[in-house]
């Protein structure tokens, strides 16, 4: 897909889009990306709570992550991939724009942009068209948009860089696929 660059400061989502395409080509059971993608997420939820987005296939997994975040005291909060904002990333000269049409809903329009790159594989293993690929669905996808920095010290969370949502994400993965430690 082609992208019109509406803001050169929104370059991270271009790299992330490529990474999502590559990840989906591997036909994973789950795709998760974590990024300090937007300031709009901070405006919506503050500095302590990462925004969580998911595609339709990822709704159940997103609910599991929200539950894990509560039990791990590592809060994430789900925001919608609101289809009413999708038109904001339409372009007259490319398939998509890398930024929404205005100053509102920026975390949502950024996630909608990324969602465009979470797709079912197009080709079969032999490199030719695959009839099953025509009915294939994109993998479940979770997108965490976080600040990744503590502005002050709290118990267990010193001021500075912070892997927000990672304790919850680890617990989700452990519950779904087991622990790596045997």
């Amino acid at each position: 897909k082609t992208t019109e660059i509406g803001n050169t400061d929104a370059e991270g989502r271009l790299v992330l889009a490529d990474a999502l395409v590559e990840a989906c080509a591997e036909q994973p059971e789950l795709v998760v990306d974590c990024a300090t993608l937007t300031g709009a997420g901070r405006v919506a939820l503050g500095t302590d709570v990462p925004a969580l987005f998911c595609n339709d296939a990822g709704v159940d997994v997103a609910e599991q992550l929200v539950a894990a975040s509560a039990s791990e005291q590592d809060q994430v909060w789900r925001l919608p991939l609101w289809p009413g904002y999708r038109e904001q990333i339409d372009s007259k000269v490319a398939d998509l724009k890398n930024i929404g049409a205005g100053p509102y809903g920026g975390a949502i329009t950024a996630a909608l942009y990324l969602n465009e790159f979470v797709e079912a594989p197009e080709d079969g293993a032999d490199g030719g068209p695959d009839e099953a690929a025509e009915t294939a669905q994109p993998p479940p996808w979770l997108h965490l948009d976080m600040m990744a920095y503590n502005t002050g010290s709290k118990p267990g969370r010193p001021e500075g860089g912070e892997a927000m949502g990672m304790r919850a994400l680890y617990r989700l993965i452990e519950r779904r696929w087991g622990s790596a430690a045997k």
Side-chain angles (χ1 to χ4, degrees):
K1 295 180 183 179
T2 59
T3 298
E4 174 187 356
I5 306 302
N7 183 334
T8 56
D9 194 34
E11 80 290 350
R13 63 194 72 177
L14 300 172
V15 175
L16 196 47
D18 285 343
L20 290 169
V21 169
E22 287 297 315
C24 290
E26 298 294 323
Q27 302 178 8
E29 292 180 46
L30 175 64
V31 173
V32 178
D33 74 74
C34 304
T36 55
L37 198 66
T38 70
R42 301 308 58 77
V43 171
L45 298 176
T47 59
D48 294 344
V49 182
L52 168 65
F53 296 91
C54 68
N55 62 1
D56 289 342
V59 169
D60 290 339
V61 183
E63 289 174 1
Q64 293 169 25
L65 181 59
V66 169
S69 79
S71 68
E72 294 298 315
Q73 299 178 7
D74 191 22
Q75 192 66 47
V76 301
W77 195 262
R78 190 159 164 233
L79 294 179
L81 277 180
W82 183 245
Y85 293 166
R86 172 56 186 80
E87 67 187 22
Q88 290 190 36
I89 58 171
D90 287 338
S91 170
K92 293 179 181 177
V93 297
D95 297 320
L96 302 163
K97 286 190 305 186
N98 75 329
I99 194 155
Y104 305 110
I108 296 171
T109 56
L112 285 165
Y113 174 82
L114 295 176
N115 186 54
E116 293 288 323
F117 298 91
V118 180
E119 299 177 331
E122 293 181 13
D123 295 326
D126 61 0
D130 185 350
E131 292 173 21
E134 292 177 19
T135 59
Q137 298 295 316
W141 168 63
L142 304 179
H143 165 61
L144 284 164
D145 183 353
M146 64 188 73
M147 183 167 167
Y149 189 88
N150 292 327
T151 57
S153 291
K154 296 179 184 171
R157 290 176 169 81
E159 182 176 348
E162 170 73 22
M164 295 174 168
M166 294 305 105
R167 294 172 185 90
L169 189 55
Y170 175 82
R171 189 65 61 214
L172 169 76
I173 292 168
E174 181 180 54
R175 288 177 183 160
R176 288 181 67 94
W177 291 285
S179 175
K182 298 284 180 188

